[in-house]
Amino acid sequence: MQFLGIEFAPLSLPFERRLQTLSVLFYVFLFLQGLSLIGFSLFIYLLFTNYYWISLIYGLWYYLDNDTPYKGGRKFPWSRTWSLWKYFRDYFPIKLVKTADLDPNKNYIFGISPHGVMCFSSLINFATDATNFPDLFPGLEPHLITLNGQFFSPLMREFFMLCGSCACEEQSLKYILFNKGQCKQKGQVCALLVGGARESNEAYPGTYRLVLKRRKGFIRIALETGASLVPVLTFGENDAYKTVVVKDGSFIQKVQAFAKRYLNIGLPIITGRGIFNYNFGIMPYRVPMVTIVGKPIEVEKTENPTEDQINELQKKYIDDLVNLFETNKDKYLTNKNTNIEIL
């Protein structure tokens, strides 16, 4: 259906596709801090009503529970199996592929690339069971490592912790990998989006520009804890939106740099599709995403790693990630001439 040059979705679409769209719309709303805004507004509003005691009780709970995102999180397995996530998975669709068995008696850091605009594949692969993580990697317990800011607001923090997510801090990763407190068993996985906010600004369709050269913190933590490093690469993540190329030295690039430095967020200029149309909106395009989990890099525990040891392990990780890309690109990319670029 077209009207004034706008292509609208037909009214006769199967109900299941409508549910897929709604599930992704929920996450987009979540990612754009909609739930945070509701949480803060509700908290403040209730303070000025007869139900002020609800905000006071939650404020006390927030204070007492403030360290939980840094101490292994709080996982409710039932939340990982919601039908919501299956519809989310099928919207694109998203697939998780393993290339090697992982020993459940060891701990791992999954270094995930690329970040993409809204990390769709990382959420569905490592914060839910929709792509069969428990069957592919039996005995492993994944923790999606996400921005600290996700745990600052009412409602938002509770949602992310439902799925076992933890804060992106050194103490958080070490708590999980050293098997202290709640995490006494082996088989712990820290699923970390290595490129972070800066890499989201590089999420141009059909490209794989990965911010890795200065990312050494997770390498050092792997050495200090003895956790094996696993390169993880997603094909299709950067194709979810059309991203405007930002020129070096432009005003927009300066705004992006400011947001990255002071707010720790990326601000890519994107266009997507709408809820009821295919031309414009905030919804991602329906593009297949395939996440490849590579072979583990065994790491010898080193209490005080030297700079040379860190650089050597980082080089090994980057080489394995590039090899994972080159080995699989013919299978999952239409343009076989696509190259990977390490920034």
Side-chain angles (χ1 to χ4, degrees):
M1 292 172 42
Q2 288 193 8
F3 180 71
L4 297 178
I6 301 174
E7 186 178 1
F8 290 92
L11 298 176
S12 58
L13 279 176
F15 184 61
E16 183 173 351
R17 285 178 68 88
R18 300 295 189 190
L19 292 176
Q20 292 170 7
T21 300
L22 284 174
S23 66
V24 175
L25 177 62
F26 167 75
Y27 175 69
V28 170
F29 174 78
L30 190 77
F31 191 91
L32 296 177
Q33 301 302 308
L35 193 59
S36 291
L37 183 60
I38 291 175
F40 276 121
S41 299
L42 187 60
F43 180 83
I44 295 172
Y45 170 75
L46 290 176
L47 285 174
F48 297 93
T49 70
N50 292 333
Y51 299 98
Y52 65 91
W53 52 272
I54 295 178
S55 290
L56 294 180
I57 291 175
Y58 184 82
L60 178 61
W61 161 257
Y62 184 97
Y63 174 78
L64 296 174
D65 193 56
N66 190 50
D67 287 343
T68 301
Y70 306 90
K71 294 185 176 180
R74 178 172 55 247
K75 181 178 292 186
F76 294 90
W78 62 273
S79 69
R80 298 175 62 90
T81 61
W82 289 344
S83 296
L84 168 75
W85 305 130
K86 296 178 182 178
Y87 291 120
F88 187 113
R89 173 200 65 198
D90 294 339
Y91 175 92
F92 295 96
I94 298 172
K95 183 180 180 181
L96 183 65
V97 177
K98 81 170 182 178
T99 59
D101 292 329
L102 300 183
D103 187 350
N105 293 311
K106 296 181 179 180
N107 292 334
Y108 301 90
I109 296 178
F110 281 16
I112 307 167
S113 299
H115 182 283
V117 175
M118 294 192 187
C119 324
F120 295 109
S121 59
S122 298
L123 173 91
I124 212 68
N125 286 322
F126 306 114
T128 83
D129 294 341
T131 51
N132 299 318
F133 184 95
D135 296 330
L136 291 172
F137 303 102
L140 298 188
E141 182 179 3
H143 304 264
L144 180 63
I145 307 301
T146 186
L147 290 175
N148 300 357
Q150 308 289 17
F151 303 99
F152 291 164
S153 65
L155 297 184
M156 178 72 90
R157 71 186 303 273
E158 312 305 336
F159 173 82
F160 272 100
M161 283 197 289
L162 273 178
C163 300
S165 297
C166 297
C168 188
E169 283 284 351
E170 179 179 352
Q171 69 176 93
S172 177
L173 271 67
K174 286 186 175 180
Y175 185 94
I176 295 169
L177 299 172
F178 271 135
N179 301 299
K180 296 179 180 179
Q182 299 174 16
C183 303
K184 295 179 181 178
Q185 73 278 17
K186 294 287 186 179
Q188 301 299 305
V189 175
C190 289
L192 178 67
L193 287 149
V194 180
R198 184 191 163 193
E199 196 170 87
S200 69
N201 292 331
E202 303 289 342
Y204 303 120
T207 67
Y208 292 82
R209 294 165 56 86
L210 310 183
V211 179
L212 293 174
K213 288 183 179 179
R214 298 180 62 182
R215 297 295 197 259
K216 297 184 180 181
F218 76 107
I219 301 291
R220 177 173 52 80
I221 292 174
L223 284 164
E224 291 175 347
T225 62
S228 298
L229 269 177
V230 180
V232 179
L233 184 77
T234 297
F235 292 96
E237 181 73 46
N238 284 351
D239 300 325
Y241 289 98
K242 294 178 181 177
T243 311
V244 177
V245 177
V246 177
K247 296 181 179 179
D248 290 340
S250 66
F251 174 75
I252 294 177
Q253 188 184 61
K254 293 177 181 179
V255 172
Q256 288 178 333
F258 177 88
K260 171 62 185 72
R261 180 174 182 180
Y262 296 103
L263 302 176
N264 199 27
I265 60 173
L267 289 177
I269 310 302
I270 61 172
T271 60
R273 53 161 290 182
I275 301 171
F276 302 109
N277 76 83
Y278 300 129
N279 298 86
F280 59 88
I282 60 170
M283 291 290 290
Y285 295 105
R286 289 178 178 263
V287 292
M289 298 183 189
V290 181
T291 299
I292 313 293
V293 179
K295 297 179 180 179
I297 302 170
E298 301 300 328
V299 178
E300 183 178 351
K301 185 176 179 179
T302 308
E303 289 189 7
N304 297 297
T306 64
E307 192 68 22
D308 287 341
Q309 289 173 316
I310 293 173
N311 291 337
E312 182 181 353
L313 181 56
Q314 183 197 38
K315 183 179 184 304
K316 171 63 175 171
Y317 166 78
I318 292 176
D319 288 345
D320 282 14
L321 185 66
V322 172
N323 182 61
L324 192 66
F325 174 84
E326 296 295 340
T327 303
N328 291 279
K329 73 175 184 179
D330 287 348
K331 185 175 181 180
Y332 297 111
L333 291 181
T334 303
N335 183 2
K336 312 304 180 185
N337 295 321
T338 303
N339 293 316
I340 191 170
E341 184 178 358
I342 307 300
L343 305 177

